[in-house]
Amino acid sequence: MRQPATIKDVAQHAGCGVASVSRVLNGSGPASAALRKRVLAAADELGFEFSEIGRSLQSSTTRTIGCVVPSLANPVYADAVQGAQETFQAQGYQTLLVCTSYNAELELNAIRTLMAKQVDGFVLTVSDALSSEGLKSIQRREIPHCLLFNMPPGNEESWSVDDRSAAKSVADAFHNAGHKHVGFLALKFKTSDRARQRYEGFVEGCAICKMQKPALLEINEDSQNLTELLQGFLTENPTLTGIFVSNDFLALATIRSARKLGLKVPSDLSIVGFDGIDVGTMVEPSLATIVTDPKMMGSGAAGTVLSIINGTSKPAQPDPEQSFSFRGGGSLAPPGAERTDGEKAATSSPSNNPTQKNAEIQPERST
Amino acid sequence: MRQPATIKDVAQHAGCGVASVSRVLNGSGPASAALRKRVLAAADELGFEFSEIGRSLQSSTTRTIGCVVPSLANPVYADAVQGAQETFQAQGYQTLLVCTSYNAELELNAIRTLMAKQVDGFVLTVSDALSSEGLKSIQRREIPHCLLFNMPPGNEESWSVDDRSAAKSVADAFHNAGHKHVGFLALKFKTSDRARQRYEGFVEGCAICKMQKPALLEINEDSQNLTELLQGFLTENPTLTGIFVSNDFLALATIRSARKLGLKVPSDLSIVGFDGIDVGTMVEPSLATIVTDPKMMGSGAAGTVLSIINGTSKPAQPDPEQSFSFRGGGSLAPPGAERTDGEKAATSSPSNNPTQKNAEIQPERST
DNA sequence: TATCAATATGGAAACGTTTCCATAAGGGGG
DNA sequence: CCCCCTTATGGAAACGTTTCCATATTGATA
């Protein structure tokens, strides 16, 4: 890797001072036509490009934003990051990405490193917004930031779904379908405060519907043995007829595991997910879920950070109550529904399902 | 945002010179126990962290890698980026992410900006490795880099599937299932040289199998009207019984569109995808496809870049011919197969499908 | 006790910018 | 013709590090 030309090289080449080169190339001050021409020629010949490092040192600004999410394997975060990155890019900001794998220690280290790199701001989804050391450091340094998918602990900026309300509406859906006892499956709460919020909302919703308190199964991020865990869970709670899984990605895996155990979905076990990822409409049976718009969330959070940096007005956020919608699907049906019926209903078209409250047309998305 | 303490502040606070602070905190030189204690105390009290900018300026190294991909909406790239990011992170490198939306101009600008930011290396998937201006700049500056999913134009480093061979095996699969005339659907070649490679291999494979030359449908990245385009394509080519779609993500969308047109998959139209994304095994019918391992590819490409930077030996790459495998699925069946048969076969279990050559157990993946 | 080596420490240069300030040159008005 | 104001230009400081070099201190050896 041979090193690039510096402003000094250009100055020497053009036979002038560095200040003049800076002025000409940035258009930031007067310069005679002759000088301008010489500088331009020299810069061109040397293939000169400004070093952002020198600039950053001088301006103490990097035009770089730290973006911290748990994982890109989950399409929700992938889409959110995509949205954020596009928004930043459009305003001339670069995105420094870190995936924390739901690991609080990694999260803290990553945030420290990004701070040392002097990012101008942060968009981040932390494990637990209340206890995150990384988040505290950011606050202490007063670095512009916006949470994403974390309900704000104080009066933080945040773009997030109202997890509790959404979870309540899932309880409603189960109740309407005739379920009496359902479960909740999620990542360990300490690795995801989203999961906890959803659980709390779900418990509350079940109570309102006079359903039994939901059984709880917490698993690890790296659980490769979901099938076994599910089996144990169902054995311990033999009256369960449905499970609310705290994200679609995990819900799909749960359906797969249920099948491995010889269970029919939804007749033996109904499943409802959370997120509304696109493929949920393509699986069989289609996945009943809470629909959200992660790309918009990411983009919004990015816009908020930029507005803090620039001191402009913040982008409008959708009403928290409207930030989600329930989408019915073949994976939720009355308990013990005739197997063939269930299948037929699901196979023909998801939108025929009687438990469906809100059938959305998903936009087509190609690669 | 209040500015952080600098090494000078620490020096002043500890009543010593900056050199000593640097030595103590980096453990890079001698220091008396007393001094060490004072410096540590001062640093702690001020909450001092080194500024990477100052360091970078001094060392002309940033410990940052540019990662350029078309889009995170496609799980293939999302997984690859995740793999790359993890590998970089493990070695203390940060990842500067750019999504180019398959846009060559954006690609070039992004690469220029990353170069100005002095990234130590690049992992990138470009639109067209032969013509990419950005790639040429990187080569000119001799910045360590590794292509990802691009077949190398010269003797570039690259982690990529052997698209041509893989596409040939798809032709085989169609032939074995009894198809005579099939089509190829992909993004416009100029936005994706992967698509072109796959097409060329597919044409060659079809020729070897004595099938008719495949019909070609190129679409734009932003095509929202896939259904219409598909309809036109099928009208123009009435003898088509199958389509090879150049990536799974698009293949799923194509199946959806085919259904909207009232076509049954696979009886009216067989579909084979490319990539082997996880959800392909969950959709109905399951998606016949070429299976690849994007996360491993991303991680491998990252390892290669790091080895170039450090002058260590490069990570071993899988044999190009083994870098993929064909996975049968319900979306590929003999043309005109009985509708109910096709459905039953697919519904019961993908691995029972007679056209399946290679049934892989996908690892469970939870969020 | 004088000398030498090793250790401890600080000053200053260098990295690549931007920007402030000073100087030089040119032109118009008194 | 001189002075002042504007325009053009370069020098140098500052940003936060690391590192080379010089100096000061210490302990041990002759």
Side-chain angles (χ1 to χ4, degrees), chain A residues 223-242:
Chain A
S223 295
Q224 296 296 315
N225 56 344
L226 176 59
T227 307
E228 288 170 40
L229 292 171
L230 182 62
Q231 185 162 35
F233 186 53
L234 293 174
T235 307
E236 280 176 35
N237 300 278
T239 60
L240 283 189
T241 56

PDB file of all heavy atoms in Angstrom, chain A residues 223-242:
ATOM      1  N   SER A 223     -28.983 -20.940  21.742  1.00  0.00           N
ATOM      2  CA  SER A 223     -29.654 -22.224  21.937  1.00  0.00           C
ATOM      3  C   SER A 223     -29.764 -22.982  20.614  1.00  0.00           C
ATOM      4  O   SER A 223     -30.483 -22.576  19.715  1.00  0.00           O
ATOM      5  CB  SER A 223     -31.062 -22.010  22.496  1.00  0.00           C
ATOM      6  OG  SER A 223     -31.007 -21.456  23.766  1.00  0.00           O
ATOM      7  N   GLN A 224     -29.034 -24.051  20.530  1.00  0.00           N
ATOM      8  CA  GLN A 224     -29.147 -24.880  19.346  1.00  0.00           C
ATOM      9  C   GLN A 224     -30.184 -25.978  19.583  1.00  0.00           C
ATOM     10  O   GLN A 224     -30.580 -26.677  18.673  1.00  0.00           O
ATOM     11  CB  GLN A 224     -27.800 -25.527  18.999  1.00  0.00           C
ATOM     12  CG  GLN A 224     -26.732 -24.530  18.623  1.00  0.00           C
ATOM     13  CD  GLN A 224     -27.067 -23.761  17.357  1.00  0.00           C
ATOM     14  OE1 GLN A 224     -27.502 -24.340  16.372  1.00  0.00           O
ATOM     15  NE2 GLN A 224     -26.872 -22.447  17.371  1.00  0.00           N
ATOM     16  N   ASN A 225     -30.594 -26.094  20.840  1.00  0.00           N
ATOM     17  CA  ASN A 225     -31.476 -27.202  21.204  1.00  0.00           C
ATOM     18  C   ASN A 225     -32.891 -26.729  21.482  1.00  0.00           C
ATOM     19  O   ASN A 225     -33.538 -27.159  22.420  1.00  0.00           O
ATOM     20  CB  ASN A 225     -30.921 -27.904  22.440  1.00  0.00           C
ATOM     21  CG  ASN A 225     -30.734 -26.922  23.587  1.00  0.00           C
ATOM     22  OD1 ASN A 225     -30.746 -25.709  23.363  1.00  0.00           O
ATOM     23  ND2 ASN A 225     -30.621 -27.442  24.787  1.00  0.00           N
ATOM     24  N   LEU A 226     -33.356 -25.855  20.643  1.00  0.00           N
ATOM     25  CA  LEU A 226     -34.690 -25.296  20.835  1.00  0.00           C
ATOM     26  C   LEU A 226     -35.732 -26.400  20.920  1.00  0.00           C
ATOM     27  O   LEU A 226     -36.659 -26.330  21.729  1.00  0.00           O
ATOM     28  CB  LEU A 226     -35.016 -24.345  19.668  1.00  0.00           C
ATOM     29  CG  LEU A 226     -36.412 -23.744  19.669  1.00  0.00           C
ATOM     30  CD1 LEU A 226     -36.669 -22.953  20.939  1.00  0.00           C
ATOM     31  CD2 LEU A 226     -36.606 -22.837  18.461  1.00  0.00           C
ATOM     32  N   THR A 227     -35.567 -27.425  20.095  1.00  0.00           N
ATOM     33  CA  THR A 227     -36.563 -28.496  20.062  1.00  0.00           C
ATOM     34  C   THR A 227     -36.713 -29.158  21.432  1.00  0.00           C
ATOM     35  O   THR A 227     -37.827 -29.324  21.936  1.00  0.00           O
ATOM     36  CB  THR A 227     -36.163 -29.538  19.008  1.00  0.00           C
ATOM     37  OG1 THR A 227     -35.947 -28.862  17.766  1.00  0.00           O
ATOM     38  CG2 THR A 227     -37.267 -30.575  18.834  1.00  0.00           C
ATOM     39  N   GLU A 228     -35.577 -29.476  22.046  1.00  0.00           N
ATOM     40  CA  GLU A 228     -35.636 -30.078  23.377  1.00  0.00           C
ATOM     41  C   GLU A 228     -36.292 -29.147  24.391  1.00  0.00           C
ATOM     42  O   GLU A 228     -37.123 -29.552  25.195  1.00  0.00           O
ATOM     43  CB  GLU A 228     -34.232 -30.389  23.903  1.00  0.00           C
ATOM     44  CG  GLU A 228     -33.555 -31.544  23.223  1.00  0.00           C
ATOM     45  CD  GLU A 228     -32.096 -31.605  23.647  1.00  0.00           C
ATOM     46  OE1 GLU A 228     -31.823 -31.365  24.841  1.00  0.00           O
ATOM     47  OE2 GLU A 228     -31.230 -31.848  22.780  1.00  0.00           O
ATOM     48  N   LEU A 229     -35.859 -27.906  24.355  1.00  0.00           N
ATOM     49  CA  LEU A 229     -36.392 -26.939  25.314  1.00  0.00           C
ATOM     50  C   LEU A 229     -37.897 -26.819  25.155  1.00  0.00           C
ATOM     51  O   LEU A 229     -38.642 -26.761  26.134  1.00  0.00           O
ATOM     52  CB  LEU A 229     -35.737 -25.574  25.085  1.00  0.00           C
ATOM     53  CG  LEU A 229     -34.253 -25.522  25.423  1.00  0.00           C
ATOM     54  CD1 LEU A 229     -33.642 -24.205  24.959  1.00  0.00           C
ATOM     55  CD2 LEU A 229     -34.064 -25.684  26.930  1.00  0.00           C
ATOM     56  N   LEU A 230     -38.329 -26.807  23.900  1.00  0.00           N
ATOM     57  CA  LEU A 230     -39.763 -26.690  23.642  1.00  0.00           C
ATOM     58  C   LEU A 230     -40.490 -27.908  24.193  1.00  0.00           C
ATOM     59  O   LEU A 230     -41.549 -27.790  24.817  1.00  0.00           O
ATOM     60  CB  LEU A 230     -39.997 -26.560  22.137  1.00  0.00           C
ATOM     61  CG  LEU A 230     -41.444 -26.386  21.703  1.00  0.00           C
ATOM     62  CD1 LEU A 230     -42.029 -25.093  22.267  1.00  0.00           C
ATOM     63  CD2 LEU A 230     -41.560 -26.391  20.186  1.00  0.00           C
ATOM     64  N   GLN A 231     -39.897 -29.058  23.991  1.00  0.00           N
ATOM     65  CA  GLN A 231     -40.520 -30.282  24.481  1.00  0.00           C
ATOM     66  C   GLN A 231     -40.695 -30.228  25.996  1.00  0.00           C
ATOM     67  O   GLN A 231     -41.776 -30.503  26.519  1.00  0.00           O
ATOM     68  CB  GLN A 231     -39.652 -31.482  24.096  1.00  0.00           C
ATOM     69  CG  GLN A 231     -40.280 -32.816  24.459  1.00  0.00           C
ATOM     70  CD  GLN A 231     -39.636 -33.953  23.701  1.00  0.00           C
ATOM     71  OE1 GLN A 231     -38.424 -33.936  23.433  1.00  0.00           O
ATOM     72  NE2 GLN A 231     -40.437 -34.942  23.318  1.00  0.00           N
ATOM     73  N   GLY A 232     -39.632 -29.856  26.681  1.00  0.00           N
ATOM     74  CA  GLY A 232     -39.711 -29.750  28.132  1.00  0.00           C
ATOM     75  C   GLY A 232     -40.789 -28.761  28.557  1.00  0.00           C
ATOM     76  O   GLY A 232     -41.584 -29.031  29.470  1.00  0.00           O
ATOM     77  N   PHE A 233     -40.829 -27.649  27.874  1.00  0.00           N
ATOM     78  CA  PHE A 233     -41.790 -26.585  28.183  1.00  0.00           C
ATOM     79  C   PHE A 233     -43.224 -27.105  28.060  1.00  0.00           C
ATOM     80  O   PHE A 233     -44.066 -26.880  28.930  1.00  0.00           O
ATOM     81  CB  PHE A 233     -41.547 -25.423  27.226  1.00  0.00           C
ATOM     82  CG  PHE A 233     -42.363 -24.195  27.495  1.00  0.00           C
ATOM     83  CD1 PHE A 233     -42.380 -23.601  28.749  1.00  0.00           C
ATOM     84  CD2 PHE A 233     -43.093 -23.605  26.476  1.00  0.00           C
ATOM     85  CE1 PHE A 233     -43.108 -22.446  28.974  1.00  0.00           C
ATOM     86  CE2 PHE A 233     -43.824 -22.448  26.696  1.00  0.00           C
ATOM     87  CZ  PHE A 233     -43.838 -21.870  27.952  1.00  0.00           C
ATOM     88  N   LEU A 234     -43.462 -27.837  26.982  1.00  0.00           N
ATOM     89  CA  LEU A 234     -44.824 -28.326  26.742  1.00  0.00           C
ATOM     90  C   LEU A 234     -45.195 -29.439  27.725  1.00  0.00           C
ATOM     91  O   LEU A 234     -46.362 -29.574  28.114  1.00  0.00           O
ATOM     92  CB  LEU A 234     -44.945 -28.831  25.297  1.00  0.00           C
ATOM     93  CG  LEU A 234     -44.831 -27.720  24.244  1.00  0.00           C
ATOM     94  CD1 LEU A 234     -44.824 -28.304  22.846  1.00  0.00           C
ATOM     95  CD2 LEU A 234     -45.968 -26.715  24.399  1.00  0.00           C
ATOM     96  N   THR A 235     -44.183 -30.199  28.125  1.00  0.00           N
ATOM     97  CA  THR A 235     -44.444 -31.256  29.107  1.00  0.00           C
ATOM     98  C   THR A 235     -44.815 -30.645  30.455  1.00  0.00           C
ATOM     99  O   THR A 235     -45.756 -31.080  31.121  1.00  0.00           O
ATOM    100  CB  THR A 235     -43.195 -32.141  29.265  1.00  0.00           C
ATOM    101  OG1 THR A 235     -42.796 -32.592  27.980  1.00  0.00           O
ATOM    102  CG2 THR A 235     -43.503 -33.342  30.143  1.00  0.00           C
ATOM    103  N   GLU A 236     -44.076 -29.612  30.806  1.00  0.00           N
ATOM    104  CA  GLU A 236     -44.353 -28.948  32.080  1.00  0.00           C
ATOM    105  C   GLU A 236     -45.692 -28.227  32.094  1.00  0.00           C
ATOM    106  O   GLU A 236     -46.279 -28.003  33.134  1.00  0.00           O
ATOM    107  CB  GLU A 236     -43.263 -27.920  32.398  1.00  0.00           C
ATOM    108  CG  GLU A 236     -42.005 -28.524  32.983  1.00  0.00           C
ATOM    109  CD  GLU A 236     -40.953 -27.460  33.178  1.00  0.00           C
ATOM    110  OE1 GLU A 236     -41.306 -26.294  33.505  1.00  0.00           O
ATOM    111  OE2 GLU A 236     -39.756 -27.761  32.974  1.00  0.00           O
ATOM    112  N   ASN A 237     -46.092 -27.791  30.918  1.00  0.00           N
ATOM    113  CA  ASN A 237     -47.329 -27.022  30.825  1.00  0.00           C
ATOM    114  C   ASN A 237     -48.273 -27.695  29.836  1.00  0.00           C
ATOM    115  O   ASN A 237     -48.470 -27.218  28.714  1.00  0.00           O
ATOM    116  CB  ASN A 237     -47.033 -25.592  30.358  1.00  0.00           C
ATOM    117  CG  ASN A 237     -46.108 -24.864  31.311  1.00  0.00           C
ATOM    118  OD1 ASN A 237     -46.528 -24.338  32.320  1.00  0.00           O
ATOM    119  ND2 ASN A 237     -44.813 -24.879  30.986  1.00  0.00           N
ATOM    120  N   PRO A 238     -48.869 -28.803  30.249  1.00  0.00           N
ATOM    121  CA  PRO A 238     -49.624 -29.621  29.296  1.00  0.00           C
ATOM    122  C   PRO A 238     -50.887 -28.942  28.767  1.00  0.00           C
ATOM    123  O   PRO A 238     -51.412 -29.358  27.744  1.00  0.00           O
ATOM    124  CB  PRO A 238     -49.984 -30.875  30.122  1.00  0.00           C
ATOM    125  CG  PRO A 238     -49.855 -30.473  31.543  1.00  0.00           C
ATOM    126  CD  PRO A 238     -48.849 -29.384  31.595  1.00  0.00           C
ATOM    127  N   THR A 239     -51.322 -27.881  29.437  1.00  0.00           N
ATOM    128  CA  THR A 239     -52.564 -27.264  28.965  1.00  0.00           C
ATOM    129  C   THR A 239     -52.336 -26.162  27.932  1.00  0.00           C
ATOM    130  O   THR A 239     -53.282 -25.539  27.469  1.00  0.00           O
ATOM    131  CB  THR A 239     -53.352 -26.669  30.145  1.00  0.00           C
ATOM    132  OG1 THR A 239     -52.533 -25.680  30.788  1.00  0.00           O
ATOM    133  CG2 THR A 239     -53.716 -27.745  31.152  1.00  0.00           C
ATOM    134  N   LEU A 240     -51.101 -25.937  27.597  1.00  0.00           N
ATOM    135  CA  LEU A 240     -50.817 -24.881  26.617  1.00  0.00           C
ATOM    136  C   LEU A 240     -51.408 -25.203  25.253  1.00  0.00           C
ATOM    137  O   LEU A 240     -51.279 -26.328  24.773  1.00  0.00           O
ATOM    138  CB  LEU A 240     -49.308 -24.714  26.441  1.00  0.00           C
ATOM    139  CG  LEU A 240     -48.530 -23.968  27.512  1.00  0.00           C
ATOM    140  CD1 LEU A 240     -47.109 -23.741  27.020  1.00  0.00           C
ATOM    141  CD2 LEU A 240     -49.197 -22.641  27.800  1.00  0.00           C
ATOM    142  N   THR A 241     -52.021 -24.203  24.645  1.00  0.00           N
ATOM    143  CA  THR A 241     -52.527 -24.410  23.279  1.00  0.00           C
ATOM    144  C   THR A 241     -51.911 -23.417  22.302  1.00  0.00           C
ATOM    145  O   THR A 241     -52.162 -23.488  21.112  1.00  0.00           O
ATOM    146  CB  THR A 241     -54.051 -24.248  23.242  1.00  0.00           C
ATOM    147  OG1 THR A 241     -54.383 -22.945  23.760  1.00  0.00           O
ATOM    148  CG2 THR A 241     -54.725 -25.314  24.078  1.00  0.00           C
ATOM    149  N   GLY A 242     -51.132 -22.512  22.830  1.00  0.00           N
ATOM    150  CA  GLY A 242     -50.537 -21.528  21.938  1.00  0.00           C
ATOM    151  C   GLY A 242     -49.315 -20.892  22.574  1.00  0.00           C
ATOM    152  O   GLY A 242     -49.157 -20.912  23.795  1.00  0.00           O
TER     153      GLY A 242
END
